Amino acid sequence: MRQRTLKTAISCTGVGLHSGAKVTMTLMPAEADTGIRFRRTDVKGQGAIVPALWSHVGDTRMNSCLVNEDGVQIGTVEHLMSALAGSGIDNCLIEINGAEVPVMDGSAAPFLFLIECAGTVELAAPRRAIRILKRVSVTDGDKTATFTPAAGFKVRFDIDFASQAIAQQSLALAVTKGSFKSEISRARTFGFEQEVAYLRANGLARGGSLDNAVVIDSTGTKVLNDDGLRYGDEFVRHKILDAVGDLYLAGAPIIGAFHGIRSGHALNNRLLKALFADQTAWAWTTIAPGSAAANGMNATEAALAIAV
């Protein structure tokens, strides 16, 4: 298998979920081994470049925010990163004229649509991946994030909220281009009505609305969005969407299984830090056509999908 990038550039305009600022973003083709990189067009010089890597995550409050050595930030990258991962895009330069990726409808579907409209092209360089060699786990109270060896990329997530509208949900699936698009990409970010004032007072969720988030009412029993849910278990599906995006900050696709229990952006990043801190836990590998990893990544259906 070879690396892929976009066939042509494509743009979108929207508002930042947390900043509320209007921003324009352009996804552009990039050469092999470039990886995913952001370039702030409102910042001059080399300080405008922000690599989409786990080592550059600087803030994990309600999003994954990247920051470079010059302090230049790109916030809420997880939904876009998830779409790039789900599309198999290895190299992309993302030009943006603000400090936060536009939230669009709160899911990865608009970004997936942009990528499909732009088209993709295969490059000459072979595609590499990060193979998980042994179990790696991090814990924070009742929250856990774990990697274990597996063929392809598999994700399981378990959530448990006091809110009756969410309650306990669990989902496990093999993440492939087909399953990502049909099972995960349309799941929207979510929040609670009673938290809105607090979040906005702390500089968060200023661009949030019923147009880009699922909101649960103050009783915890009702979804306020007129159109309801896109999936019966949209909440856990969005947590998987976030995890796929957070983990793509590894810098390459992962061959292994991820299990998140009440995990979030902070713990997902801690897991990547723990993985790369142990040189015996992972290895670079080339994805050969016909291999178990290639077959897993190219499959068109989920291996398992269980909702509780």
Side-chain angles (χ1 to χ4, degrees), residues 99-147:
E100 187 179 15
V101 171
V103 65
M104 308 307 278
D105 73 346
S107 77
F111 300 127
L112 198 63
F113 176 74
L114 287 173
I115 293 167
E116 290 176 343
C117 289
T120 64
V121 62
E122 193 174 82
L123 302 170
R127 193 176 201 212
R128 297 204 303 167
I130 296 163
R131 184 181 296 280
I132 305 300
L133 301 180
K134 69 178 186 182
R135 186 178 188 273
V136 177
S137 187
V138 293
T139 299
D140 179 13
D142 62 353
K143 304 172 184 178
T144 304
T146 305
F147 278 135

Side-chain angles (χ1 to χ4, degrees), residues 57-141:
V57 173
D59 189 353
T60 52
R61 294 177 306 154
M62 307 291 288
N63 78 115
S64 285
C65 179
L66 300 169
V67 57
N68 66 13
E69 293 81 358
D70 295 299
V72 177
Q73 296 184 356
I74 298 289
T76 318
V77 301
E78 59 272 12
H79 302 167
L80 173 58
M81 291 300 298
S82 194
L84 292 168
S87 303
I89 299 297
D90 302 284
N91 306 288
C92 184
L93 177 62
I94 303 155
E95 292 194 339
I96 185 167
N97 66 351
E100 187 179 15
V101 171
V103 65
M104 308 307 278
D105 73 346
S107 77
F111 300 127
L112 198 63
F113 176 74
L114 287 173
I115 293 167
E116 290 176 343
C117 289
T120 64
V121 62
E122 193 174 82
L123 302 170
R127 193 176 201 212
R128 297 204 303 167
I130 296 163
R131 184 181 296 280
I132 305 300
L133 301 180
K134 69 178 186 182
R135 186 178 188 273
V136 177
S137 187
V138 293
T139 299
D140 179 13

Side-chain angles (χ1 to χ4, degrees), residues 5-308:
T5 189
L6 299 182
K7 187 177 294 184
T8 188
I10 193 164
S11 301
C12 67
T13 298
V15 299
L17 174 62
H18 295 299
S19 66
K22 186 176 180 180
V23 64
T24 296
M25 182 175 73
T26 302
L27 309 183
M28 304 175 66
E31 296 180 355
D33 299 321
T34 297
I36 311 298
R37 305 173 77 191
F38 289 87
R39 187 172 78 85
R40 288 276 300 272
T41 58
D42 59 329
V43 175
K44 295 182 179 180
Q46 286 301 309
I49 300 295
V50 184
L53 292 172
W54 61 275
S55 54
H56 285 72
V57 173
D59 189 353
T60 52
R61 294 177 306 154
M62 307 291 288
N63 78 115
S64 285
C65 179
L66 300 169
V67 57
N68 66 13
E69 293 81 358
D70 295 299
V72 177
Q73 296 184 356
I74 298 289
T76 318
V77 301
E78 59 272 12
H79 302 167
L80 173 58
M81 291 300 298
S82 194
L84 292 168
S87 303
I89 299 297
D90 302 284
N91 306 288
C92 184
L93 177 62
I94 303 155
E95 292 194 339
I96 185 167
N97 66 351
E100 187 179 15
V101 171
V103 65
M104 308 307 278
D105 73 346
S107 77
F111 300 127
L112 198 63
F113 176 74
L114 287 173
I115 293 167
E116 290 176 343
C117 289
T120 64
V121 62
E122 193 174 82
L123 302 170
R127 193 176 201 212
R128 297 204 303 167
I130 296 163
R131 184 181 296 280
I132 305 300
L133 301 180
K134 69 178 186 182
R135 186 178 188 273
V136 177
S137 187
V138 293
T139 299
D140 179 13
D142 62 353
K143 304 172 184 178
T144 304
T146 305
F147 278 135
T148 51
F153 180 40
K154 299 178 174 64
V155 174
R156 174 171 179 147
F157 217 104
D158 302 295
I159 60 175
D160 186 0
F161 283 82
S163 167
Q164 184 180 332
I166 304 177
Q168 294 181 330
Q169 294 183 3
S170 179
L171 180 69
L173 79 166
V175 181
T176 66
K177 289 183 180 180
S179 67
F180 180 84
K181 182 175 182 178
S182 63
E183 305 293 334
I184 300 300
S185 69
R186 297 179 65 247
R188 294 161 294 178
T189 191
F190 58 92
F192 300 89
E193 183 181 27
Q194 69 271 22
E195 295 179 351
V196 172
Y198 171 81
L199 290 172
R200 289 180 174 170
N202 285 273
L204 299 169
R206 292 178 176 176
S209 71
L210 294 176
D211 293 327
N212 54 40
V214 176
V215 180
I216 297 96
D217 75 347
S218 57
T219 70
T221 62
K222 180 183 177 182
V223 171
L224 294 176
N225 304 64
D226 289 338
D227 57 349
L229 298 176
R230 295 176 175 178
Y231 308 92
D233 56 351
E234 186 168 358
F235 305 103
V236 73
R237 289 175 190 261
H238 185 78
K239 295 294 284 186
I240 288 180
L241 186 156
D242 277 349
V244 170
D246 286 343
L247 298 180
Y248 206 44
L249 294 172
I254 289 172
I255 299 175
F258 168 82
H259 185 189
I261 301 174
R262 305 183 183 90
S263 184
H265 302 299
L267 207 58
N268 295 343
N269 185 248
R270 275 185 55 196
L271 180 62
L272 289 178
K273 289 180 178 178
L275 175 70
F276 290 115
D278 185 349
Q279 294 296 317
T280 68
W282 64 280
W284 284 110
T285 184
T286 298
I287 305 173
S291 67
N295 292 337
M297 289 181 174
N298 286 333
T300 56
E301 70 280 344
L304 176 64
I306 303 173
V308 178

